[in-house]
Amino acid sequence: MGLSFYIYERSKLGGVIGGGLQLFFSYFKDLVGREVTVELKNDLAIRGTLHSVDQYLNIKLENTRVVDQDKYPHMLSVRNCFIRGSVVRYVQLPPEAVDIELLHDATRREARGG
Amino acid sequence: MASEEESAVKEPLDLIRLSLDERIYVKLRSDRELRGKLHAYDQHLNMILGDVEEVITTVEIDDETYEEILRSTKRTIPFLFVRGDGVILVSPPLRTA
């Protein structure tokens, strides 16, 4: 199931769920199960397996570890976490999960729709 | 040459659409700057960039002279999703005539 499927779903449901465009929601749903590094606005970087994502780009990670454990020892025991979308600064993506052509197409479609 | 509809800049986001697949400069909050190839964006300015170079600029005050010392830290990231709420400005690639 690819990005195009989710964009189709979006166009089908767009009116119902507020007409929001959701390129990145679809993209992150395709990324479920992959290892990502999420960098927060407070500079904490957490690496883990993407468990799920929602329309706000809230993220749930599993098997997490903090990248700089010496600086954040209080995070040592955190193995699963929910991250509020608004505190995310970056998500480092695995290169094998980036299909550039698909992203370009989806972006152009999104730009037309918006 | 692209069709007129494809290349016309009618609203600000059109400028970013025309930068797809080009290297752009992004200025972010907390004194961060990115340079990378734009692969995807949306209306919030969420973006996916490739071959990213991030520069973080910090100001340190010299203990004795109280001079401000600018220090920049660089790192590269292959693929990066950037959340749009941190974006201050996006600049298309410099076109050399």
Side-chain angles (χ1 to χ4, degrees):
Chain A
M1 218 185 290
L3 191 57
S4 51
F5 170 79
Y6 287 118
I7 287 174
Y8 166 67
E9 283 293 291
R10 182 262 292 170
S11 60
K12 212 169 56 171
L13 300 170
V16 182
I17 47 178
L21 301 168
Q22 25 193 325
L23 193 171
F24 290 101
F25 177 34
S26 305
Y27 177 75
F28 279 112
K29 276 199 282 193
D30 276 357
L31 222 59
V32 164
R34 306 260 193 175
E35 278 263 302
V36 294
T37 303
V38 180
E39 269 190 64
L40 310 185
K41 288 180 177 145
N42 65 359
D43 293 335
L44 180 65
I46 308 172
R47 186 157 180 79
T49 308
L50 184 63
H51 172 273
S52 53
V53 65
D54 67 14
Q55 55 166 327
Y56 304 107
L57 305 187
N58 296 323
I59 287 173
K60 188 173 180 294
L61 290 182
E62 289 184 336
N63 301 313
T64 56
R65 58 191 178 282
V66 169
V67 174
D68 191 352
Q69 294 201 330
D70 297 340
K71 200 173 163 193
Y72 304 97
H74 55 288
M75 291 289 291
L76 264 174
S77 59
V78 178
R79 283 288 159 267
N80 296 294
C81 65
F82 172 96
I83 299 168
R84 186 179 153 100
S86 63
V87 303
V88 172
R89 180 185 290 133
Y90 302 137
V91 180
Q92 295 180 27
L93 307 167
E96 65 275 12
V98 182
D99 183 331
I100 292 170
E101 287 307 313
L102 206 60
L103 285 174
H104 287 178
D105 290 349
T107 300
R108 292 209 179 85
R109 206 167 312 157
E110 182 109 343
R112 272 204 302 278
Chain B
M1 183 71 194
S3 72
E4 198 178 321
E5 179 157 9
E6 279 280 299
S7 60
V9 178
K10 290 171 187 153
E11 52 170 297
L13 276 177
D14 291 345
L15 191 68
I16 295 170
R17 193 190 69 227
L18 295 175
S19 305
L20 256 190
D21 210 23
E22 307 263 11
R23 284 192 80 79
I24 58 167
Y25 165 82
V26 183
K27 186 171 167 59
L28 295 172
R29 287 171 177 274
S30 60
D31 297 309
R32 285 161 197 263
E33 296 167 288
L34 301 174
R35 283 180 181 81
K37 204 170 186 187
L38 181 65
H39 292 310
Y41 73 89
D42 66 9
Q43 72 274 34
H44 305 291
L45 267 341
N46 294 323
M47 290 181 272
I48 290 178
L49 300 176
D51 287 323
V52 189
E53 184 191 70
E54 184 199 44
V55 179
I56 308 172
T57 307
T58 49
V59 182
E60 290 172 19
I61 309 284
D62 189 291
D63 287 339
E64 284 158 18
T65 65
Y66 297 104
E67 272 181 303
E68 291 187 351
I69 302 161
L70 287 177
R71 188 150 304 173
S72 53
T73 318
K74 272 188 200 177
R75 62 172 175 156
T76 57
I77 304 128
F79 284 102
L80 192 64
F81 165 81
V82 181
R83 193 173 161 95
D85 60 359
V87 173
I88 294 174
L89 72 83
V90 179
S91 170
L94 291 171
R95 300 197 191 282
T96 44

